[in-house]
Amino acid sequence: MVGSGAILTSLPGVEAVATLSRTQVDIFSRLFLAFVVLGTTVGVVVISYLMYNAYKYRTDAPDADGKYDVEEETDDDVVRPQLGEIPTSAKGGKKLFLSFGLSAVLVLGLIIYSYSLLLYVEDTGDVEPDMEVNVEGFQFAWAYEYDNGFETTGELVVPNEEVVGLEVSSRDVMHNFGIRGLRAKTDAMPGQTTETWFQADESGEYQAICFELCGSGHSNMREEVLVVPTSVWEQGQENYNFDNPDEFEQWYDQTIDAWKNGEFDDQLEVTN
Amino acid sequence: MSDLPPRSSVKRWLVTTNHKDVGILYLLTSVFFLVAAGVLALLIRIQLLQSGGTILSGVGYNQVVTAHGFIMIFWFLSPFAFGFANYFVPLQIGADDLAFPRLNAMSYWLYLFSGVLVLGSFFQGATFMGGWTAYAPLNVPAYIPEFGEVGSFATIVALIAFVGSVTIGSVNFLTTIYRMRAKGLRMRDIPLFSISILVTVWMMLFAFAAYLAALIILSSDHLLHTSFFALETGSGPEATDSGSLLWTHLFWFFGHPEVYIVFFPALGALAEMVQTFAGRRLVGRKWFIISMALVGIQSFIVWMHHMFLTSINLEIKTVIMVTTVAISLPFDLMVFSLIYTMIKGKIRWKTPFLFSIGSLVIFIIGGITGVFLGAIVLDYSFRGTYWVVAHFHYVMASSAVILIGAVYYWYPKMTGKMYNEFLGKAHFVTSFIGFNMLYFPMFIVWETPRRVFHYDSGFTPFHLLATAGAFIFAGSFLIMFYNLFASLYSDRHVDESPWAYASSPEWAVSSPPPLDNFPGKPSFASGKLNFLDRAGTDGGAKSETATDGGVATGDETLAPPEEHADHASWWPIMVSSSVLFAGLGISGLSVSYAVWPFALAIPAFIGFLGVEGARQDGFALIHGIYVMVAFPLTVALLILFHLGIGIFEAVGNASPYFWVGLIGSVWGSYTLAGFGYESFEVPEPKMAEQWPFESVENTKLGMWAFIASDIIVFGAFVGAYIFTRFEYGWEAWWHIAEDPSAHTMAGQALEHHPVLPGLINTYLLLASSFTVVLALTAARHKGNYSLGPLTISSRQATLGFLGMTFMGAAGFLVNKGIEWVDLYLHQGWTFGVDVMSSTFYLTTGMHGLHVIIGMLVLLFLIARTYTGAYVGENEDAGTLEYFGLYWHFVDIVWLFLFPLFYIL
Ligand SMILES: [Cu+2]
Ligand SMILES: [Cu+2]
């Protein structure tokens, strides 16, 4: 349904797309930023407090008898561990629980926040993806099948700003299909189908990389993903019937050639 | 049994069963594997000097990455921690040794030889190259390049041997900690390091059992060509629909607890070091312990967080996210507890403390970056990237860093010498800088895909930095090796303890501690550590051998007289070496040869039972019978072998692997018989704190623990069966097997799968369970039985019932044999024709193997009963009872398998 889906976007369906106000990229960036800021703060505070205490209570008073690394004192108000004692706790339990509670609240808050975003990513509501692509991993490349029936093992070509649904599986061993710049990623397992989606904000060249060790060629298992500007896609739809796999193939081949000849260079926003 | 030679003798280290010796062997061996895996790590870093790689091919890189993971996690981290556990747990709880010293030595040798196998796999073409996670179906021969098949399987066999070592060790530590504590030392009172080991071995017992099941399933796909993960079709291999997901479940059910298994011993050591060097008792000790226990339990319900991107559904993901987040909270508490312990302390910045605080910093960073992964949306993007790599290295390596600190902490205790403080500090500084240079840049360039040597050109400087850090980190260990070696020859002697405020009992004895650990029987009955006189050693006189550090000795009660304990045996190393040979052999066996080395070992075992029995117990009729039976049985097997492959062609064509396997398994038969007959004195603990197992002997508790882990093994098999069956459709299952079109070759479909053999076998096993109970009753019966005119001695009755049990088991096997011949040969329903046959043959076959092992043990028990053991006033029938436990377990397993595989 490539063609009709794309046409719908320019007509009443535009609303449907508009409800997907956040792409996976947006969600990731926002959440990642929140975690980095909070994580760094917590880390700095805790580590500083640790170092501060370790430094403040340092001692190097030598043992008068030279037996131990330090003089053993038992006369101050702090009860010190003694050799052969049955172990007990030191005081400070209240403070312990206070900080434990604080950290629990912090972690729970973060997780609830991220869970709401998960629900969004997992369930795009009633919005149908504008197009669907079946992806099948094999050693060591990707095979794509568009919903018009066109198949290729070369580049994935999709339009900018449209929601692309992916159904991912594998022909042989386990792979993991990920398009890095678009934050789409899912396992490719034989006999199982997994789903994910993406929506590019910027046209350009991206890479579909395998993120699961799959054999000798794993390190080289990456292919180009070409997100063409909306204008290019729409122009293609005017000249070709995208519901017909043969016509779509013509356009596809032409587009790839044009891209390789550098004809898109000034139109693409993201390049490798 | 032989005498224990001095430490300067090489023989000492081969025969010793003393926990301190074994601990040192563990430590040295694991450091060797650290170096091996460290070299592999450096190869990885060299490969990553530039995008596209430098020195390794794709296949080579995969091997290096895989072996690095396997060796670091299994052959370095855990055994390193267990080196300390071996040395210090008995000392900390007031035990003379572990509960089963010979088994402890066997754990060590199995560990060593499994490591030899895994390193050897590099020279068998190629080692395993599918990552330490070994995801299916890349882990089966169909998807492994041919030159790597043998080495890959050798790696799997090595892992199985390693799991054997771990399981024996877990059983041993559990029994020791529960049953051999000094009087007055409650479970909650044992030092934190020992508590952490207790939690660890509990996790090990169950997690490694699941892993064992996974490895056995994988081995069966390799050796017997079953089709759990991939089906061999006419047009090439085809992954099964269920296999990939099945493996991730099995693996991560083990894999997540494994993270804590690796980390907990270090955490315990960290708590002790912080306590000692802060001169303050741990804040919230009780909560610290509860946290550990909680994490230990919870670790078994979070595994699917490694599978967020597989096809599991949102509901499950949500549950797992909650349990995952919940499991991070106890760690917060533990970290805060350690920090608060330092307040008002008298902190000495000695080397062990430097490593402690350094590792805390590292762990905090590792923990925070781990919370990132708990947020599923972030995890989606982090999956398979260097964020994961950096995170788990921060966590895992913080465990290594703690344990390095523990080396410095306990070095004076183990050697009696002080290390060089300046060099120790220099080691810390270089390693800490190197570590962070190595791993922190990985967070910055986290978008580098994992196990890939291609990355964006912009990342190059960071990868260069990481490689430089790796070399600094590695180099820092040279300082340590020099320091520890040179200090051995220094004159910096230490007495009991060089550290003020050290509180656990190991610091109350001399350094290094004497062979039997304590100057007297340790007891906490008075509220603190005392050493009671060992009555009978010096006439029962009370002596005041006061140790320093406020430990008083002398108590009103006298310890019971000590029995003589043995400390040396050749059998552990010999039994384990047979595993090396058999394992090496099995790695290269082709399917047609697969069973023969092991089948032929059975008559050999029976013969050796006769020979060794005659040697140890004096010749008796039964020994003669065993030897006489062994010969015709061997001949019969050889005839079968001839019918199967043709003996002359077979002998001519057999690969060297066949001969190595045969030698290994026959050697195993001999050594196991020898191990069984050796009289090795280990006194049952007396005057010990044994809650909650006061009324159970050591061996029985050990048997319970072993059976508990075996339950998990079978649980995993049954789970795998049910999972697979659901994936194919519960009802459709039988139709697949019976549908000819579902099979590539004609005649492979199942015509009928009769229920009757299974039913008969159920009755046979139940009856044999009953007779084994009767055998025990007879053994404990006083006097003779009179049956009318007949008088039967209780020994004869015991023998009779044991014999009947044996016959019941034999009937079970014969019946099963007939069934299998029909299914396999006549109906052509071979191991690998479909997933269903694979689950059927493997699961019931594993049960059959348990029956065979039970029968071999029965033969041993019959011989021993015949020559005077177990029955009568002065004999202990315990061994029969323990065997009975095992046998009931085998029967109960069948009660589950029969309906699952025959009726439903
Ligand atoms: Cu891959
Ligand atoms: Cu995990």
Side-chain angles (χ1 to χ4, degrees):
Chain A
M1 303 289 279
V2 179
S4 59
I7 290 162
L8 277 176
T9 51
S10 52
L11 295 166
V14 73
E15 240 182 66
V17 171
T19 55
L20 279 181
S21 53
R22 290 177 291 180
T23 64
Q24 294 237 47
V25 181
D26 294 337
I27 291 167
F28 177 85
S29 322
R30 189 190 304 188
L31 197 58
F32 185 59
L33 185 69
F35 269 72
V36 166
V37 169
L38 268 171
T40 312
T41 315
V42 170
V44 167
V45 168
V46 173
I47 291 175
S48 312
Y49 186 60
L50 163 71
M51 299 310 290
Y52 166 77
N53 281 323
Y55 183 76
K56 179 174 175 198
Y57 297 104
R58 77 196 183 285
T59 176
D60 45 13
D63 176 22
D65 307 332
K67 177 173 162 44
Y68 289 139
D69 56 336
V70 67
E71 191 102 42
E72 283 219 31
E73 284 173 36
T74 42
D75 49 343
D76 51 7
D77 58 332
V78 183
V79 198
R80 308 256 171 225
Q82 285 172 18
L83 186 57
E85 70 178 6
I86 290 183
T88 46
S89 284
K91 278 185 282 183
K94 257 192 207 139
K95 203 156 49 172
L96 183 60
F97 273 91
L98 193 68
S99 17
F100 170 68
L102 262 176
S103 71
V105 167
L106 192 68
V107 171
L108 284 177
L110 270 179
I111 289 300
I112 291 170
Y113 171 53
S114 67
Y115 186 64
S116 65
L117 292 177
L118 171 72
L119 291 179
Y120 177 77
V121 169
E122 284 278 317
D123 181 19
T124 47
D126 305 324
V127 182
E128 285 278 309
D130 301 301
M131 59 184 285
E132 290 267 6
V133 180
N134 280 323
V135 184
E136 197 176 42
F138 63 96
Q139 290 172 323
F140 297 95
W142 305 106
Y144 303 104
E145 188 194 347
Y146 287 73
D147 46 12
N148 58 19
F150 170 67
E151 290 177 32
T152 176
T153 55
E155 292 80 2
L156 175 67
V157 180
V158 292
N160 193 18
E161 278 171 9
E162 290 198 15
V163 181
V164 181
L166 299 172
E167 299 221 330
V168 182
S169 184
S170 167
R171 202 176 287 174
D172 39 45
V173 301
M174 188 166 166
H175 306 267
N176 178 295
F177 178 84
I179 307 175
R180 203 166 56 189
L182 301 174
R183 301 274 169 242
K185 197 183 276 178
T186 189
D187 281 336
M189 306 173 95
Q192 309 279 330
T193 306
T194 58
E195 289 174 10
T196 187
W197 61 276
F198 66 87
Q199 184 185 17
D201 268 342
E202 293 169 297
S203 64
E205 297 158 351
Y206 297 87
Q207 282 188 323
I209 301 177
C210 177
F211 285 92
E212 183 53 65
L213 184 59
C214 58
S216 57
H218 169 60
S219 238
N220 290 314
M221 189 165 161
R222 53 177 66 210
E223 278 174 27
E224 299 285 336
V225 173
L226 182 60
V227 176
V228 294
T230 325
S231 57
V232 173
W233 185 268
E234 280 170 358
Q235 202 177 1
Q237 277 176 326
E238 281 169 26
N239 300 333
Y240 298 92
N241 177 7
F242 273 16
D243 285 337
N244 179 329
D246 296 329
E247 287 199 33
F248 183 74
E249 183 170 7
Q250 284 177 17
W251 175 81
Y252 174 89
D253 291 342
Q254 230 174 50
T255 311
I256 297 282
D257 285 344
W259 167 56
K260 288 200 170 144
N261 291 334
E263 290 173 32
F264 291 154
D265 281 2
D266 46 344
Q267 294 180 52
L268 297 182
E269 293 156 287
V270 178
T271 49
N272 284 318
Chain B
M1 175 194 62
S2 48
D3 290 327
L4 191 61
R7 286 179 169 217
S8 54
S9 149
V10 175
K11 187 184 161 204
R12 155 90 168 222
W13 299 100
L14 301 178
V15 301
T16 183
T17 63
N18 180 265
H19 71 99
K20 295 185 291 297
D21 294 348
V22 175
I24 287 170
L25 286 172
Y26 261 109
L27 286 172
L28 293 177
T29 311
S30 57
V31 167
F32 168 77
F33 284 108
L34 167 69
V35 174
V39 169
L40 294 173
L42 292 180
L43 285 177
I44 298 175
R45 288 317 316 174
I46 292 170
Q47 176 78 347
L48 290 172
L49 273 172
Q50 66 182 54
S51 176
T54 54
I55 51 168
L56 295 167
S57 65
V59 169
Y61 186 70
N62 291 351
Q63 286 181 65
V64 168
V65 167
T66 305
H68 165 74
F70 274 139
I71 297 176
M72 276 293 185
I73 293 167
F74 292 123
W75 279 278
F76 164 61
L77 268 177
S78 262
F80 194 47
F82 272 79
F84 290 120
N86 256 287
Y87 204 107
F88 289 108
V89 166
L91 281 165
Q92 289 196 330
I93 66 171
D96 293 344
D97 205 322
L98 285 167
F100 311 110
R102 277 196 312 168
L103 288 181
N104 190 35
M106 202 152 100
S107 290
Y108 167 73
W109 291 109
L110 267 179
Y111 153 61
L112 174 69
F113 289 129
S114 67
V116 172
L117 266 179
V118 84
L119 291 182
S121 67
F122 278 100
F123 304 99
Q124 294 175 280
T127 186
F128 189 77
M129 51 188 99
W132 88 284
T133 47
Y135 277 169
L138 187 63
N139 55 7
V140 293
Y143 294 104
I144 294 173
E146 209 173 312
F147 63 88
E149 267 175 42
V150 174
S152 294
F153 191 33
T155 312
I156 296 161
V157 173
L159 286 165
I160 291 180
F162 179 80
V163 174
S165 155
V166 164
T167 307
I168 297 173
S170 308
V171 168
N172 214 340
F173 275 97
L174 275 179
T175 311
T176 308
I177 297 174
Y178 279 115
R179 291 261 313 152
M180 297 172 71
R181 305 187 306 276
K183 200 75 197 157
L185 201 62
R186 297 170 301 177
M187 279 308 280
R188 72 187 82 159
D189 296 334
I190 62 180
L192 277 159
F193 177 67
S194 294
I195 288 200
S196 70
I197 292 297
L198 178 73
V199 180
T200 305
V201 290
W202 268 118
M203 286 192 284
M204 275 183 163
L205 193 69
F206 297 128
F208 273 95
Y211 193 39
L212 179 62
L215 290 170
I216 289 174
I217 290 174
L218 182 55
S219 300
S220 123
D221 268 17
H222 274 261
L223 187 62
L224 305 174
H225 292 217
T226 50
S227 48
F228 280 89
F229 302 124
L231 216 54
E232 206 56 65
T233 70
S235 55
E238 188 183 295
T240 58
D241 290 352
S242 54
S244 205
L245 206 52
L246 171 66
W247 178 266
T248 51
H249 278 296
L250 286 174
F251 179 78
W252 287 114
F253 181 80
F254 149 79
H256 191 85
E258 170 66 7
V259 175
Y260 303 129
I261 288 171
V262 166
F263 187 69
F264 269 22
L267 191 59
L270 178 65
E272 302 228 343
M273 289 191 283
V274 167
Q275 196 167 245
T276 298
F277 288 97
R280 231 183 130 220
R281 290 172 182 159
L282 194 67
V283 170
R285 184 178 193 273
K286 181 165 100 187
W287 295 105
F288 196 91
I289 295 170
I290 290 174
S291 297
M292 269 204 256
L294 259 181
V295 169
I297 295 165
Q298 250 183 294
S299 68
F300 287 94
I301 49 169
V302 297
W303 79 92
M304 279 182 272
H305 63 215
H306 298 270
M307 301 163 58
F308 281 148
L309 283 179
T310 64
S311 43
I312 57 174
N313 62 34
L314 181 63
E315 286 74 29
I316 297 178
K317 283 182 197 172
T318 308
V319 171
I320 295 297
M321 189 184 84
V322 171
T323 56
T324 301
V325 172
I327 208 170
S328 77
L329 295 177
F331 282 105
D332 294 359
L333 188 139
M334 290 190 264
V335 167
F336 284 124
S337 157
L338 291 170
I339 296 177
Y340 290 142
T341 302
M342 293 176 191
I343 295 175
K344 294 193 188 161
K346 291 181 72 71
I347 298 176
R348 292 92 71 201
W349 287 63
K350 297 276 177 182
T351 307
F353 183 76
L354 285 174
F355 276 96
S356 301
I357 200 166
S359 67
L360 259 175
V361 170
I362 290 170
F363 182 68
I364 291 167
I365 296 174
I368 290 175
T369 52
V371 173
F372 282 54
L373 293 166
I376 302 183
V377 176
L378 293 183
D379 181 74
Y380 284 174
S381 281
F382 289 144
R383 164 89 162 85
T385 66
Y386 265 60
W387 188 276
V388 177
V389 175
H391 156 69
F392 73 67
H393 278 97
Y394 261 87
V395 176
M396 295 261 199
S398 84
S399 149
V401 171
I402 296 168
L403 291 173
I404 296 295
V407 169
Y408 289 104
Y409 180 55
W410 276 315
Y411 180 86
K413 175 50 61 187
M414 294 190 287
T415 62
K417 299 286 176 67
M418 196 59 182
Y419 62 84
N420 179 311
E421 188 64 44
F422 173 76
L423 288 177
K425 284 181 173 148
H427 175 205
F428 170 74
V429 172
T430 37
S431 67
F432 192 75
I433 292 171
F435 179 95
N436 287 293
M437 248 174 89
L438 167 56
Y439 294 115
F440 202 81
M442 293 183 190
F443 284 122
I444 300 168
V445 291
W446 67 268
E447 298 224 52
T448 313
R450 184 181 176 187
R451 293 159 171 168
V452 160
F453 46 85
H454 286 266
Y455 49 78
D456 290 8
S457 50
F459 293 174
T460 311
F462 294 96
H463 280 289
L464 279 177
L465 193 64
T467 303
F471 277 91
I472 294 175
F473 189 46
S476 75
F477 283 87
L478 296 178
I479 307 176
M480 178 178 87
F481 294 146
Y482 173 79
N483 186 357
L484 299 185
F485 185 72
S487 300
L488 276 183
Y489 301 97
S490 75
D491 55 359
R492 295 185 294 273
H493 292 273
V494 291
D495 43 20
E496 286 84 4
S497 170
W499 316 123
Y501 308 119
S503 59
S504 46
E506 78 265 29
W507 300 109
V509 296
S510 58
S511 309
L515 184 66
D516 43 8
N517 284 356
F518 303 104
K521 181 83 189 160
S523 165
F524 285 85
S526 64
K528 61 196 289 196
L529 180 61
N530 286 294
F531 294 117
L532 312 182
D533 273 350
R534 292 181 200 262
T537 51
D538 55 358
K542 208 173 93 175
S543 70
E544 288 283 336
T545 44
T547 50
D548 296 296
V551 177
T553 52
D555 198 284
E556 293 313 307
T557 41
L558 289 179
E562 283 298 311
E563 291 163 75
H564 169 73
D566 287 320
H567 293 293
S569 170
W570 276 106
W571 296 110
I573 183 174
M574 297 213 279
V575 173
S576 311
S577 68
S578 75
V579 173
L580 173 65
F581 294 119
L584 190 62
I586 209 176
S587 69
L589 278 182
S590 62
V591 62
S592 53
Y593 286 91
V595 293
W596 291 107
F598 307 97
L600 288 166
I602 289 176
F605 181 74
I606 298 173
F608 288 131
L609 273 186
V611 174
E612 270 298 299
R615 218 162 64 100
Q616 295 289 339
D617 296 337
F619 180 79
L621 180 63
I622 190 96
H623 302 134
I625 294 175
Y626 282 1
V627 175
M628 293 317 293
V629 167
F631 285 104
L633 209 54
T634 311
V635 172
L637 280 173
L638 286 176
I639 290 171
L640 276 178
F641 184 57
H642 184 62
L643 293 176
I645 336 183
I647 203 157
F648 300 107
E649 303 89 281
V651 168
N653 299 338
S655 73
Y657 283 111
F658 172 78
W659 298 111
V660 175
L662 184 65
I663 291 169
S665 56
V666 171
W667 175 239
S669 297
Y670 169 66
T671 52
L672 278 172
F675 188 89
Y677 276 115
E678 184 184 39
S679 85
F680 189 89
E681 211 57 56
V682 183
E684 270 284 315
K686 293 202 181 73
M687 254 195 77
E689 205 64 46
Q690 302 178 327
W691 182 88
F693 296 108
E694 294 91 344
S695 56
V696 194
E697 312 86 83
N698 275 5
T699 318
K700 194 194 270 185
L701 184 59
M703 184 53 99
W704 280 359
F706 168 75
I707 288 176
S709 90
D710 215 2
I711 287 174
I712 301 294
V713 176
F714 273 105
F717 280 124
V718 169
Y721 163 76
I722 293 175
F723 178 86
T724 310
R725 189 163 166 178
F726 264 116
E727 284 286 315
Y728 280 84
W730 188 262
E731 292 302 329
W733 188 245
W734 289 98
H735 304 304
I736 297 174
E738 287 159 3
D739 177 11
S741 67
H743 297 84
T744 48
M745 274 172 270
Q748 284 181 331
L750 189 62
E751 285 160 34
H752 58 102
H753 189 269
V755 179
L756 192 64
L759 189 66
I760 296 174
N761 271 347
T762 310
Y763 291 127
L764 280 173
L765 276 191
L766 283 177
S768 73
S769 235
F770 187 59
T771 51
V772 88
V773 174
L774 291 178
L776 180 64
T777 317
R780 290 194 168 142
H781 186 266
K782 291 192 179 65
N784 297 338
Y785 293 95
S786 46
L787 266 172
L790 280 174
T791 310
I792 301 171
S793 73
S794 51
R795 183 170 306 282
Q796 285 166 329
T798 311
L799 279 172
F801 287 125
L802 288 177
M804 284 159 77
T805 310
F806 184 85
M807 294 315 291
F812 176 93
L813 283 185
V814 169
N815 191 13
K816 189 163 217 46
I818 295 170
E819 181 199 22
W820 278 32
V821 165
D822 173 51
L823 293 173
Y824 190 98
L825 289 180
H826 298 157
Q827 302 196 38
W829 201 50
T830 51
F831 296 147
V833 291
D834 51 41
V835 190
M836 186 191 166
S837 80
S838 301
T839 56
F840 173 78
Y841 283 116
L842 184 66
T843 315
T844 61
M846 280 308 293
H847 176 265
L849 194 64
H850 276 72
V851 174
I852 293 174
I853 291 168
M855 287 168 70
L856 295 177
V857 175
L858 266 172
L859 288 177
F860 169 76
L861 295 177
I862 289 172
R864 293 280 292 145
T865 310
Y866 190 90
T867 51
Y870 313 136
V871 187
E873 295 268 330
N874 303 320
E875 290 292 337
D876 180 12
T879 311
L880 295 183
E881 190 183 349
Y882 313 141
F883 171 76
L885 289 175
Y886 170 79
W887 196 248
H888 298 323
F889 163 71
V890 173
D891 296 353
I892 291 169
V893 168
W894 182 256
L895 291 184
F896 283 93
L897 297 190
F898 172 58
L900 276 173
F901 284 92
Y902 288 84
I903 300 175
L904 290 176

